[in-house]
Amino acid sequence: MEQEAIKTFFSTELLGWYRLIKRDLPWRKNRDPYRVWVSEIMLQQTRVDTVIPYYNQFMDKFPSVTALANAPETEVLKSWEGLGYYSRARNLQAGAKEVAQRYGGIVPDDKAAVAGLKGVGPYTSGAIMSIAFNRPEPAVDGNVMRVLSRYFCLEDDIAKPSTRIGIEKLAASLIPEGAAGDFNQALMELGALVCTPKSPSCLPCPVMEHCAARLSGRETELPIKTKAKPPRAEFRAAAIVAGSGEHADKVLVRQRPATGLLAQMWELPHLELPKDKAEWLSEASPKEQGELAEMISRMVETDTGLLIRPRSWFTDADHIFSHIHWKMRFYLADLGEERSASEDVAAAASSLIGLTAAEAASAYKVDSQAEEAEVIGTYRWISKSDMETLPFPNLFLRILKQYWE
Ligand code: SF4
């Protein structure tokens, strides 16, 4: 069969299949570009089943570009809590503000304008232009690269930008006239449901008859993708500081800076251990555990003036970002009593390592005073109910829930 006929077969069969089986997903109720935009951002690196409830509550809360543009950032982050990759939410809101200011709250039917919005890359702009406006733009993500690499038996490394550009051209040439939106969604649907990464279901596949990878038995070998570098490990120790007195039943949390990783989200206070101390989290001598307790105490004291006393191990947890792997140990800690800081840290060391108070006191010395406050810089005492309004990354949400349970 001629190459052109193989392409036509692919487009026709795929489109026909999609129109028969397409899933009833909330963002497919209509072609409102704002709804398409939100769904495409949420679906990046996240499964459809996970996205559905988030999408529904997000659209209830922010039903229009203007509603999203005018919402406080904390509320937007709170609605995103648990989905991860929070810069997506911040960029989405920044894009909504731009659409509100420059285009009167209406997403423009203009490729360059859509592609210029914050957080909108070539895939998302292609998805919005094709699904919402039926423009013949390709929308190529990992799913689409996998399907086309297999169907056409392409051996280029899909991790390379040049391969993506080549596949975008190929995908554009496959779009049937007047059916860009459905065709792009059909490609995504095939990648998600049939031509899956590890075990493609070739038998029920609508394009199996001319799929070059299947015909040559190479469907699980393709696509070729060089492995990304594994995320860099960071070892961190965190404190769950229980309040007392007027802060009884509360826990000390802090807000992350306005820029960078997990910007503006809330977390338990924690610090990164120097590389040569990383093994402290798995195996530490009593003296080292005491030093760790001191480091945590000093961090909180420096930031807030509060004296705390790490009391005992609570749990270990991991969190993997795209480029960093946090390996964390959480300690329960109490507020120090009205006494000198050196006594307090010594008590902390003593409680963790079983040194006598006198031994610990001579080993660890600090000299500032404790002072409690409701809000201390970026730190704050929160009760369980405050978690309903403050946005936390999944990791800390999980640990705090576990703590309060
Ligand atoms: S036949 Fe198999 S490998 Fe080819 S596109 Fe279909 S599911 Fe993928």
Side-chain angles (χ1 to χ4, degrees):
M1 204 185 209
E2 294 278 322
Q3 187 69 0
E4 277 313 304
I6 286 175
K7 284 166 102 177
T8 307
F9 171 85
F10 180 84
S11 305
T12 313
E13 294 302 315
L14 186 59
L15 193 58
W17 169 81
Y18 173 72
R19 286 177 171 163
L20 277 179
I21 66 93
K22 76 171 181 180
R23 288 176 288 175
D24 183 19
L25 300 172
W27 44 90
R28 287 183 180 160
K29 280 200 182 111
N30 60 46
R31 297 191 164 209
D32 175 351
Y34 170 63
R35 293 177 64 89
V36 174
W37 180 13
V38 173
S39 70
E40 289 300 338
I41 299 292
M42 280 192 174
L43 286 164
Q44 288 167 12
Q45 282 119 355
T46 314
R47 294 167 52 84
V48 166
D49 293 352
T50 309
V51 166
I52 291 174
Y54 279 95
Y55 180 81
N56 287 333
Q57 61 94 16
F58 196 90
M59 295 313 298
D60 284 347
K61 216 164 191 179
F62 314 111
S64 65
V65 169
T66 319
L68 178 59
N70 294 337
E73 188 184 80
T74 314
E75 239 175 75
V76 178
L77 289 174
K78 189 68 196 167
S79 298
W80 211 270
E81 187 182 78
L83 265 183
Y85 301 99
Y86 297 93
S87 57
R88 292 184 297 174
R90 270 186 291 273
N91 289 341
L92 180 60
Q93 191 183 29
K97 284 182 177 166
E98 198 180 332
V99 171
Q101 282 158 13
R102 297 180 66 173
Y103 309 109
I106 309 289
V107 180
D109 179 1
D110 177 333
K111 186 187 167 191
V114 169
L117 296 172
K118 194 139 193 219
V120 173
Y123 164 78
T124 310
S125 69
I128 296 171
M129 292 311 295
S130 60
I131 300 170
F133 302 113
N134 212 16
R135 302 285 173 203
E137 295 294 335
V140 172
D141 65 354
N143 273 335
V144 172
M145 287 203 277
R146 180 173 64 253
V147 170
L148 295 184
S149 294
R150 286 174 177 168
Y151 184 80
F152 293 100
C153 218
L154 309 175
E155 295 186 336
D156 299 323
D157 179 358
I158 62 166
K160 288 189 178 160
S162 57
T163 305
R164 169 185 284 272
I165 292 168
I167 293 183
E168 276 170 354
K169 280 192 190 138
L170 172 61
S173 75
L174 295 168
I175 297 174
E177 209 178 324
D182 276 0
F183 177 75
N184 282 348
Q185 290 183 88
L187 257 177
M188 298 168 200
E189 200 91 330
L190 191 76
L193 301 180
V194 181
C195 195
T196 51
K198 292 208 173 108
S199 46
S201 310
C202 297
L203 278 182
C205 175
V207 297
M208 59 97 85
E209 202 178 325
H210 295 294
C211 172
R214 187 197 69 82
L215 292 170
S216 56
R218 301 187 60 201
E219 62 270 22
T220 51
E221 271 173 46
L222 294 172
I224 309 285
K225 186 179 182 187
T226 48
K227 281 217 163 66
K229 270 202 283 181
R232 183 183 80 246
E234 280 185 9
F235 297 86
R236 293 181 169 265
I240 306 175
V241 183
S244 58
E246 62 176 311
H247 302 306
D249 299 326
K250 293 187 174 178
V251 163
L252 192 65
V253 296
R254 70 181 180 193
Q255 191 172 26
R256 292 183 64 84
T259 54
L261 188 70
L262 302 173
Q264 298 245 276
M265 301 202 71
W266 291 81
E267 64 180 6
L268 289 161
H270 58 97
L271 54 82
E272 183 184 356
L273 297 185
K275 291 275 171 294
D276 61 332
K277 313 280 189 220
E279 76 281 2
W280 282 7
L281 291 193
S282 49
E283 210 174 311
S285 68
K287 177 120 180 7
E288 288 164 345
Q289 288 195 43
E291 283 180 45
L292 185 52
E294 185 192 358
M295 285 167 76
I296 299 171
S297 304
R298 275 184 188 278
M299 171 190 66
V300 174
E301 188 193 346
T302 305
D303 290 351
T304 65
L306 294 175
L307 291 177
I308 65 160
R309 185 171 61 242
R311 172 165 36 101
S312 57
W313 172 87
F314 180 66
T315 191
D316 290 343
D318 281 29
H319 190 78
I320 301 177
F321 302 93
S322 50
H323 58 301
I324 303 174
H325 181 170
W326 279 359
K327 293 169 181 270
M328 299 194 68
R329 173 154 292 183
F330 291 82
Y331 291 95
L332 294 172
D334 299 315
L335 272 179
E337 289 158 18
E338 290 296 324
R339 54 184 174 182
S340 79
S342 56
E343 284 172 334
D344 207 60
V345 171
S350 149
S351 68
L352 276 185
I353 65 179
L355 294 180
T356 67
E359 284 168 333
S362 67
Y364 309 110
K365 292 191 185 353
V366 290
D367 55 11
S368 62
Q369 295 299 312
E371 193 176 308
E372 284 186 34
E374 186 67 39
V375 177
I376 320 135
T378 55
Y379 282 68
R380 198 174 147 174
W381 289 108
I382 61 154
S383 57
K384 194 176 175 188
S385 61
D386 290 321
M387 292 181 63
E388 284 159 26
T389 51
L390 299 179
F392 285 88
N394 251 354
L395 166 70
F396 296 103
L397 201 62
R398 214 170 61 234
I399 300 296
L400 280 166
K401 279 185 181 159
Q402 195 179 327
Y403 170 76
W404 265 304
E405 271 158 22

